Amino acid sequence: MIFHLGELFCGPGGIGWGATHADINDPEYGIVHEWANDYDEDTCETYRHNICPDDPDSVYHGDIRTFDMDQLDPIDALAFGFPCNDYSVVGEQKGMDGTFGPLYTYGVKALKKFRPQWFLAENVGGLRSANEGKALKKILSELEGAGYKITPHLYKFEEYGIPQARHRLIIIGIRNDIDIEFKVPSPAPYAGIDNTCRNAIENPPIPADAFNNEPTRQSKQVVERLKHILPGQNAFTADLPDELKLNIKGAKISQIYKRLDPDKPSYTVTGSGGGGTHIYHWEEPRALTNRERARLQTFPDDFEFLGSKESVRKQIGMAVPCRGAKIIFEALLKCFAGIEYESVEASINE
């Protein structure tokens, strides 16, 4: 069974890459791109360029709230990483009351319209506590109401060999009339992988002519500040001279001027970048390049992001790690192919 995948809120192609590269050593089972949609133009260009260069018209740039789904071809699989701004722990946490909170309903609408055999929905772990837990309960109820058996699970991608501590709630749904049960793939097979950020960034060395690898420019003050910050420390835990301390009242976000610890996975790559929220190298007094950030998200070096340097930073930060998506899609394909694999109980708890 070759599944034709549609994607809403497709991003630059982390999910798309994982889906189209999923391989269970059975040529009868695979996933191919059918269409995708995103509201950001650069993101759509990146997706076209890397995921479906031979079919650029299958990627639709447009706001889902005014998008006409009638123009889309039939699909038998759907993925939607619905926008997480209102569910993120570092966001304003408006949940269902925010601009982006209700956008999951368009995923539900697509499920009812296309009746795909399965779907994958993705969001931040903060969704679990949004609106005192009511948001997640409502979303799960509506996904079930669309006619699907659902398996929500909090994936900690660093446990799956990904060089980044990234926790994401991923919901797999299989249509009710299909007698197949999805099982969450176990992280055990990935225990021996070196998922330190040093290994991800340095092995193999990034080629001099790599895409999206322009050096970052730091002000003299930032360079001086970083010289006093040890690996794993941030602007508030480091022993900084008074003239380099940050004059911030209220919340002291731990990722401000935080250097990576080279012997651990990176902290979460985000789309933000102002006010010291770039990810900072453990040794050199600078922020990471976009290519280094892309490596932490497990994008291959030949994956070229299009747009301005700032646009590319946002695209990388909003994506799902390619290899993480691939692991989940391969588990799904194995379920349909009847291939046993090591699994764990689904859980949305930390």
Side-chain angles (χ1 to χ4, degrees), residues 3 21 26 45 74 76 80 110 125 173 233 255:
F3 296 98
H21 286 77
D26 184 337
E45 287 295 336
D76 36 37
F80 55 106
Q233 289 184 337
Q255 292 190 7

Side-chain angles (χ1 to χ4, degrees), residues 97-128:
D97 304 321
T99 308
F100 300 104
L103 292 184
Y104 77 91
T105 58
Y106 293 92
V108 175
K109 178 181 173 184
L111 290 175
K112 290 178 178 177
K113 178 177 177 60
F114 296 105
R115 303 290 297 142
Q117 294 193 43
W118 55 260
F119 73 82
L120 177 150
E122 177 266 347
N123 207 283
V124 292
L127 173 58
R128 295 167 302 148

Side-chain angles (χ1 to χ4, degrees), residues 196-250:
T196 61
C197 55
R198 186 206 301 270
N199 186 57
I201 289 170
E202 293 187 347
N203 295 319
I206 294 175
D209 60 349
F211 299 124
N212 311 116
N213 199 39
E214 304 86 358
T216 55
R217 291 196 194 98
Q218 320 293 164
S219 70
K220 190 176 175 186
Q221 186 185 44
V222 168
V223 170
E224 284 305 309
R225 182 176 291 128
L226 288 171
K227 285 178 181 176
H228 289 83
I229 299 175
L230 299 175
Q233 289 184 337
N234 62 44
F236 307 111
T237 57
D239 185 15
L240 292 178
D242 287 344
E243 68 272 14
L244 294 175
K245 288 180 179 175
L246 297 180
N247 185 20
I248 294 178
K249 292 176 180 172

